[in-house]
């Protein structure tokens, strides 16, 4: 069974940093594009960024220049490095897997990120 498990969330002050991890199992990790999404209370799910199987990255404008996605295929893990965090970054963050760049078929359970003023 495919499983994605996020970790690394927590409470941080504005301007601080966090690194989220997403450990994958049950799939051929190197063949999947991995995406990061977030959902704040009362708002719809928002695309954050993704990394392809060639490690090409793409980011939403709201996080560009502050967030960095990377992957370690040997560890079956994708990372989201978040710098210069803002209160509006507060959300539950999810990782998701897309085989060959198609729909995101697999999702993790999410990890909470809270940014205080």
């Amino acid at each position: 069974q495919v499983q994605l498990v996020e970790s690394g969330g927590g409470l941080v002050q504005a301007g601080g940093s966090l690194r989220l991890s997403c450990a994958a199992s049950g799939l051929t990790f190197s063949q999947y594009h991995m995406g990061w999404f977030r959902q704040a209370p009362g708002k719809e799910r928002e695309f954050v960024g993704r990394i392809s199987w060639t490690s090409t990255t793409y980011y939403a404008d709201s996080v560009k220049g502050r967030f960095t996605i990377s992957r370690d295929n040997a560890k079956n893990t994708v990372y989201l490095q978040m710098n210069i965090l803002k209160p509006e970054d507060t959300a539950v963050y999810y990782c998701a897997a897309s085989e060959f760049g198609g729909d995101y078929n697999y999702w993790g359970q999410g990890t909470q990120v809270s940014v205080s003023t």
Side-chain angles (χ1 to χ4, degrees), residues 24-53:
S25 62
L27 52 75
T28 305
F29 185 75
S30 62
Q31 297 180 1
Y32 281 76
H33 294 190
M34 300 297 298
W36 285 97
F37 298 79
R38 66 187 183 185
Q39 187 167 23
K43 296 186 177 180
E44 295 183 352
R45 185 185 63 193
E46 176 188 18
F47 172 77
V48 174
R50 62 88 171 164
I51 185 167
S52 74
W53 41 267

Side-chain angles (χ1 to χ4, degrees), residues 67-105:
F67 291 10
T68 303
I69 300 172
S70 61
R71 67 191 297 162
D72 187 338
N73 290 342
K75 296 181 179 180
N76 284 8
T77 301
V78 63
Y79 304 95
L80 178 64
Q81 178 67 48
M82 304 183 293
N83 299 323
I84 320 175
L85 283 161
K86 305 174 181 179
E88 53 261 43
D89 294 320
T90 295
V92 176
Y93 283 72
Y94 301 89
C95 66
S98 167
E99 187 173 16
F100 306 121
D103 293 340
Y104 288 96
N105 297 318

Side-chain angles (χ1 to χ4, degrees), residues 50-64:
R50 62 88 171 164
I51 185 167
S52 74
W53 41 267
T54 61
S55 294
T56 299
T57 54
Y58 180 81
Y59 302 95
D61 288 340
S62 59
V63 305
K64 194 175 299 181

